[in-house]
Amino acid sequence: MPSTKKPSEKKSTKRPASVPVFQSVKGMSDVLPKEEGWWKAFHEAGMRTAELHDFHLIETPILEPADLFEKGVGASTDIVEKQMYTFRTKGGDRVALRPEGTASVMRAYLEHHLGYFASPLKVFYEGPMFRYERPQAGRERQFHQWGFEVIGDGDPVYDAEVILATMALFKELKSGPLVVKINSIGCKVCRASYREKLKNYYRAREKKLCKDCTRRLEKNPFRLMDCEEEDCKALREEAPIILDYLCQSCNTHFKSVLELVEENGIPYEPDPYLVRGLDYYNRTVFEVWSPSAGSALAGGGRYDYLAEILMGRLVPAVGAAIGIERAISFLKGAMPTPPRKEPVRVFFAAVGDQAKKASLRRMEELRRAGVPVVEALGKRSLKGQLKVADRLKVPLALILGQKEVFEGSVIVRDMVTGAQETALLDRFVEVVKKRLR
Ligand code: AMP
């Protein structure tokens, strides 16, 4: 338990005595019990969606070789240039806290030859990601993502399926209207000529660019498209768009994705300026936006070259990642309570040593029968315990005293009316279940 500073008698200019010595690292938050309902709702919606869409769990370590991301995500991306937590282990290995999940999943796919077991492989993951960004609303240094990946097939049907699964998860959460912004960023062939056009356009206007964009212009001109500086944003309005440069095959692929998305009733908006901040994307890129939230709740796309970059293998793939904190904060704005939270309906009270001893076993019997139980056994008096039951608004309380232990019974109390009955301990689980129906 973190220690706290003792109150000092002298007036100090330092930290007030009530502030604990230890606080979480800047940009990294605790998920507290009061948030439980939202996190559980998200997790349950994710699991349900994964099951319905046939995605299977994959869990990769939080630490990976640093060059997995340097190579995979791209050396000239913001993530690698500025945001990675990288360090050397005592054994001298250079490792990084993962800034995103896709490169790790592809590493695992190649390492364990997962393509032999399923083609395509459809997986989901859930866990913390780390990026050294300037903390602000909706942007943390540790945040959580839920991801869907389909690895081993380039068919546009899988681009659509990833988009559908992402939207289905939000639907499961009853999120309200969301829109998919979508674009194609082409392939190695068509992107090269667009890249030159873009460079020429920006070179002619270099003086107006921000420092970052001037630096990125030669190495990665696509990144200029998602710069947030006002002058760069204004220049973007007139910039050439990739859709005019797509090759035949990328064009057909993109059209098929749009058709499938439309056929499935997903609201979408083509956004010719959407490029996404990671190098590994090709063809389809998309983000999920809410008309009210000012930021993306999820993002993804196709990454057919990632396996080639990592291990020289050609493995087409497509995926998406949902920012869980952002999704939850968006839901909180849209509804007063989490979409589904089963309230606990039974309180167990025990008075006296014998009763207390017996109570753990009796509560287990209820839990094994699928009945969630709460208690306040640390409080000695019945009054104190029932006060907690009142506060929790639990409708049914079970009371075990010395007399009941001796007789092999338990009192079942209706907390709303105060009416009580006695049930035999041999069949009290049935009685409780009947009362809860
Ligand atoms: P990305 O991996 O950058 O494509 O991000 C996918 C989703 O993760 C975004 O749409 C956000 O919802 C979320 N996200 C990305 N970066 C952060 C961050 N620093 N803090 C909180 N959420 C984030």
Side-chain angles (χ1 to χ4, degrees), residues 37-53:
W38 296 99
W39 283 79
K40 255 187 164 169
F42 186 93
H43 177 80
E44 279 164 16
M47 294 304 266
R48 175 105 184 106
T49 310
E51 199 175 3
L52 290 173
H53 292 249

Side-chain angles (χ1 to χ4, degrees), residues 371-389:
V371 180
V373 192
V374 284
E375 43 71 31
L377 292 174
K379 299 194 188 302
R380 294 197 72 81
S381 74
L382 180 62
K383 198 171 157 204
Q385 292 180 47
L386 290 182
K387 238 187 190 170
V388 178

Side-chain angles (χ1 to χ4, degrees), residues 268-300:
Y268 73 95
E269 259 172 34
D271 178 351
Y273 301 114
L274 184 65
V275 287
R276 316 246 325 113
L278 298 91
D279 269 7
Y280 53 56
Y281 287 117
N282 68 306
R283 292 195 163 165
T284 316
V285 287
F286 68 90
E287 285 183 343
V288 177
W289 283 74
S290 101
S292 59
S295 54
L297 301 180

Side-chain angles (χ1 to χ4, degrees), residues 50-181:
E51 199 175 3
L52 290 173
H53 292 249
D54 193 32
F55 284 85
H56 301 273
L57 173 73
I58 189 159
E59 201 172 312
T60 58
I62 285 166
L63 274 188
E64 292 277 2
D67 58 356
L68 172 69
F69 304 109
E70 287 160 355
K71 273 176 114 181
V73 174
S76 66
T77 57
D78 272 359
I79 288 184
V80 171
E81 268 186 349
K82 305 182 196 161
Q83 298 171 352
M84 271 220 294
Y85 285 86
T86 313
F87 60 95
R88 264 187 207 286
T89 62
K90 289 196 173 106
D93 298 328
R94 258 187 87 243
V95 293
L97 289 175
R98 63 180 181 198
E100 56 98 53
T102 300
S104 308
V105 171
M106 185 54 97
R107 195 256 319 126
Y109 176 92
L110 296 168
E111 185 176 334
H112 303 289
H113 313 287
L114 298 181
Y116 289 113
F117 303 103
S119 187
L121 178 79
K122 291 171 68 179
V123 287
F124 74 89
Y125 61 84
E126 180 183 30
M129 307 294 158
F130 303 84
R131 295 183 195 170
Y132 193 79
E133 301 196 69
R134 197 158 57 82
Q136 51 189 290
R139 201 169 287 282
E140 303 226 36
R141 290 181 174 170
Q142 176 181 299
F143 59 98
H144 295 74
Q145 285 185 339
W146 180 287
F148 291 116
E149 314 282 359
V150 178
I151 307 180
D153 206 309
D155 197 295
V157 79
Y158 292 112
D159 304 50
E161 167 132 48
V162 164
I163 295 174
L164 247 62
T166 305
M167 294 299 271
L169 197 159
F170 283 111
K171 199 165 180 195
E172 190 81 32
L173 286 164
K174 305 183 174 45
S175 70
L178 292 173
V179 63
V180 175
K181 291 196 179 176

